[in-house]
């Protein structure tokens, strides 16, 4: 087997191994299914609740994508603004960092007061929690233009707008797409938190109800569904990143 | 010397506000239209600062800068520049990198879309001239350092600037590539007769290429010596082994040694 094949096989081996150990551990130590169900019983629960799980997963996906979409537009815009004006950057940075430091769980009750229980808090929480890394990354991409590149263009009479569109924007794209992976995961966390606290639908809500009913297998089944969805969304954004900014990923270091 | 194309007159430049770095002081230099001027001096003496002042990327605290008969109060809008670092844009092919100035400088900017084919042809001809025939569709990071530097020369020249500024453009290259590129620059200058200001720390490079060599003192930089190079053109690389050539290099080395000691 070549090194490459081994690397391709490794994730499967490790994942299956993890669940095997879990199953064996539970049986050997006779762990109560009320504390930690075995993977097999979780699998059974997933099959049993498949309609509920898929319905609520779909809802969570929607909330996540909606919040994420707003975050992308807003984050890109604000990042470009911050990256192109030092005054705006200096002025708004403390505010941004302060806002980002607030745990978003604390914001959900306020959103509920404003918009009531429903899809609004979920979408907005997803948005609020995920725009920050996009802003920071895009601003960084703009701020790290080589001074020589800027000199070459300025000596030709290029305007600030020219420099922004010819160099700044394309240059910040790898940073932007790189931040999407982080942002989508955060948006997902945001929508689940909001659903848990303030919604009638979504995996978060399903878990809240399962937890109230002490339905431990359903709770774990939901967790696994969350993990699978998270991996899928991460993979999609990683794939988009790779497609859009191939020129930035030419180094062998990143490829290995 | 009223026929100077680039003239800096008793220029002083300070980086940062009060108590900042005094980069150049009482700097006076005049370069004629079509002339190939070289500036040599110890590192950190203000050579790059001189380039920035002459192109309007920095403005002097005292003294005046005049280019093409106009006092420089904003970037000059016509200079081609190349640096030690070729700074190609990695998301553009080599050809598109070379075409970049045309997307900025008028009248090309408004013509580029309609006459794309003609401009592409011109860029390809220029690439061929520097030995990069057929490399247009490659990305810069697929080229060697020397090839990137050639491409960056093409980018500096595509819009036929009247002023070419070269800031240690061959500094990072091996000796053979460097000498090859000397010849490339020599031929381009001979064909188009634009004005060149070349900053270098290589005295042989300065003497081989330039009509006139200026020596700068250590920081704060000013011109301490000016030497006309009257070796006949076209010059061949063999000229670098002639006694006349050696003599000029030797003389300049003396000036530099003095410049480094005087503070
Ligand atoms: N952007 C800058 N800010 C502060 N100091 C600078 C800046 N650029 C250059 N300097 C200083 O000015 C002096 C001259 O720099 P430079 O013109 O780049 O020298 P050279 O090109 O001859 O090596 C140096 O001492 C350098 O540290
Ligand atoms: Mg320099």
């Amino acid at each position: 087997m070549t090194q490459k094949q081994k690397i391709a096989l490794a994730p499967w081996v490790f994942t299956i191994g993890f669940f095997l150990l879990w199953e064996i551990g539970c049986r050997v130590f006779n762990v109560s299914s009320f504390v930690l169900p075995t993977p097999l019983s979780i699998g059974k629960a997933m099959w049993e609740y498949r309609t509920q799980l898929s319905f609520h997963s779909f809802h969570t996906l929607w909330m996540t994508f909606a919040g994420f979409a707003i975050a992308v537009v807003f984050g890109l815009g604000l990042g470009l603004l911050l990256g192109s004006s030092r005054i705006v950057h200096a002025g708004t940075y403390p505010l941004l960092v302060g806002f980002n430091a607030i745990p978003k769980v604390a914001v959900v009750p306020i959103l509920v007061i404003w918009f009531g229980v429903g899809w609004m808090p979920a979408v907005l929480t997803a948005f609020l929690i995920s725009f920050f890394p996009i802003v920071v990354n895009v601003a960084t991409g703009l701020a790290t233009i080589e001074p020589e590149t800027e000199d070459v263009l300025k000596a030709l009479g290029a305007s600030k707008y020219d420099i922004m569109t010819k160099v700044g924007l394309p240059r910040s794209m790898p940073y932007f797409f790189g931040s999407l992976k982080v942002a989508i995961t955060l948006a997902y966390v945001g929508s689940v938190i909001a659903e848990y606290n303030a919604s009638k639908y979504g995996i978060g809500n399903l878990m809240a109800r399962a937890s109230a009913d002490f339905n431990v297998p359903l709770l774990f089944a939901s967790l696994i569904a969350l993990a699978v969805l998270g991996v899928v969304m991460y993979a999609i954004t990683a794939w988009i990143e790779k497609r859009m900014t191939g020129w930035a990923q030419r180094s062998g270091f990143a490829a290995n | 010397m009223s026929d100077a194309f680039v003239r800096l007159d008793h220029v002083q430049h300070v980086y940062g506000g009060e108590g900042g770095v005094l980069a150049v002081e009482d700097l006076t230099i005049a370069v004629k239209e079509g002339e190939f001027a070289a500036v040599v001096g110890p590192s950190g003496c203000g050579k790059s600062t001189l380039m920035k002042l002459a192109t309007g990327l920095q403005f002097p605290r005292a003294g005046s800068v005049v280019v093409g008969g106009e006092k420089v109060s904003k970037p000059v809008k016509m200079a081609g520049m190349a640096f030690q670092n070729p700074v190609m844009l990695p998301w553009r092919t080599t050809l598109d990198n070379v075409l970049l100035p045309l997307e900025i400088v008028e009248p090309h900017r408004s013509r580029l879309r309609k006459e794309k084919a003609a401009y592409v042809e011109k860029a390809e001809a220029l690439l061929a001239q520097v030995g990069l025939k057929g490399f247009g569709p490659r990305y810069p990071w697929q080229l060697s350092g020397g090839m990137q530097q050639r491409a960056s020369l093409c980018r500096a020249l595509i819009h036929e600037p009247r002023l070419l500024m070269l800031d240690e453009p061959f500094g990072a290259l091996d000796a053979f590539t460097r000498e090859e590129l000397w010849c490339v620059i020599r031929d381009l200058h001979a064909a188009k007769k634009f004005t060149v200001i070349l900053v270098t720390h290589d005295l042989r490079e300065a003497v081989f290429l330039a009509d006139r060599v200026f020596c700068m003192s250590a920081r704060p930089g000013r011109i301490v010596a000016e030497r006309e190079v009257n070796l006949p053109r076209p010059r061949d690389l063999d000229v670098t082994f002639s006694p006349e050539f050696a003599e000029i290099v030797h003389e300049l080395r003396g000036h530099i040694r003095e410049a480094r000691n005087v503070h």
Side-chain angles (χ1 to χ4, degrees), chain A residues 148-230:
Chain A
E148 286 109 328
T149 310
E150 224 176 318
D151 283 353
V152 165
L153 292 175
K154 274 195 195 151
L156 296 167
S159 64
K160 203 163 168 140
Y161 177 79
D162 286 332
I163 295 176
M164 187 80 157
T165 51
K166 306 263 178 238
V167 185
L169 258 178
R171 215 196 116 76
S172 59
M173 280 305 106
Y175 294 83
F176 169 66
F177 285 107
S179 72
L180 295 190
K181 284 186 297 199
V182 182
I184 190 95
T185 325
L186 286 175
Y188 187 47
V189 171
S191 57
V192 173
I193 287 177
E195 285 167 357
Y196 198 99
N197 292 291
S199 177
K200 294 193 182 75
Y201 310 103
I203 294 275
N205 173 256
L206 187 64
M207 288 182 75
R209 281 185 283 139
S211 150
D213 298 344
F214 293 100
N215 188 342
V216 178
L218 177 57
L219 208 49
F220 274 87
S222 309
L223 273 184
I224 299 291
L226 278 178
V228 171
L229 284 182

Side-chain angles (χ1 to χ4, degrees), chain A residues 146-159 161-163 166-168 170-171 246-248 250, chain B residues 52 55 57 75-81 83 85 87 89-92 100-101 103-105 109 141 155 159:
Chain A
E146 291 93 344
E148 286 109 328
T149 310
E150 224 176 318
D151 283 353
V152 165
L153 292 175
K154 274 195 195 151
L156 296 167
S159 64
Y161 177 79
D162 286 332
I163 295 176
K166 306 263 178 238
V167 185
R171 215 196 116 76
W247 60 266
R250 59 196 181 272
Chain B
K52 287 181 189 163
T55 43
L57 297 169
V76 291
K77 289 202 174 193
M78 53 146 171
M81 298 187 99
F83 306 90
N85 176 357
V87 290
L89 304 178
W91 56 89
R92 284 172 170 244
L100 179 67
E103 296 171 21
I104 304 210
V105 178
R109 185 179 186 138
W141 37 273
R155 182 182 59 192
H159 57 296

